[in-house]
Amino acid sequence: MNISKFTQKSIEVVNNIEKVAYDYNNQELAEEHLLYSMLTVEESLISRLLEKMEISRDVFLAQVEGLIAKRPKVSGGKMYMSEDLNKVLIYAEDEAKHMGDEYVSLEHIFLSMLKHPSKEIKGLFKDFRIDRERFLMALS
């Protein structure tokens, strides 16, 4: 993952993952933390796209918080990134290239998450009927 290829907003979201995990006493940084960070960042593109898909941001966010709350709680210890989260961030750069963009922005990270979801995120996307096609329609 080449962080210099990430937009300011993407860097802000990625940097916030640790704080979200810390707030929930999670040692492992996971896709749920990333999704939460994408939804709560100021002027969230992902929140606006959910609204375009007629999905309530608050309902969706509550579901994401529920997934985070189910994660193992650990106090102390060193935080580490899950394999799933690492994969999403690595492949986000491919999504940017595929769309002809030089920099990785939040939509590329979200598309990468759609392509490489953890078991929990896959279930969440299924419940809300979020797939690549529907997301790209909202994006356009």
Side-chain angles (χ1 to χ4, degrees):
M1 173 179 80
N2 183 355
I3 202 79
S4 69
K5 290 279 187 192
F6 280 55
T7 63
Q8 284 303 116
K9 194 59 87 175
S10 295
I11 292 169
E12 184 183 338
V13 162
V14 170
N15 286 339
N16 198 37
I17 295 171
E18 256 184 68
K19 184 192 179 311
V20 175
Y22 185 80
D23 289 347
Y24 282 89
N25 295 315
N26 303 137
Q27 193 172 16
E28 183 181 52
L29 307 175
E31 288 183 29
E32 293 92 316
H33 302 112
L34 173 62
L35 193 50
Y36 181 90
S37 185
M38 284 196 283
L39 291 166
T40 57
V41 70
E42 203 174 312
E43 295 176 25
S44 169
L45 170 69
I46 302 305
S47 289
R48 288 198 310 269
L49 292 173
L50 286 176
E51 285 169 18
K52 276 190 176 180
M53 291 186 271
E54 297 178 2
I55 296 169
S56 164
R57 175 201 175 271
D58 295 338
V59 171
F60 190 76
L61 185 60
Q63 293 295 315
V64 173
E65 287 173 320
L67 291 175
I68 293 172
K70 287 179 187 171
R71 298 196 64 78
K73 305 234 179 300
V74 179
S75 51
K78 193 167 165 29
M79 288 188 170
Y80 62 95
M81 191 180 294
S82 73
E83 202 174 305
D84 290 327
L85 176 59
N86 194 35
K87 196 183 288 184
V88 165
L89 294 174
I90 288 170
Y91 287 107
E93 209 170 321
D94 290 348
E95 290 293 339
K97 282 180 191 152
H98 179 74
M99 293 177 85
D101 294 324
E102 196 176 334
Y103 291 97
V104 177
S105 55
L106 293 184
E107 63 267 25
H108 303 125
I109 296 172
F110 195 88
L111 284 165
S112 181
M113 193 182 292
L114 280 167
K115 196 178 270 186
H116 306 281
S118 64
K119 190 179 84 183
E120 297 78 11
I121 295 296
K122 188 179 210 164
L124 179 73
F125 287 160
K126 190 176 179 217
D127 291 347
F128 283 91
R129 298 183 347 271
I130 299 172
D131 59 25
R132 186 177 183 87
E133 194 176 312
R134 189 172 176 210
F135 181 77
L136 288 171
M137 291 264 289
L139 187 61
S140 67

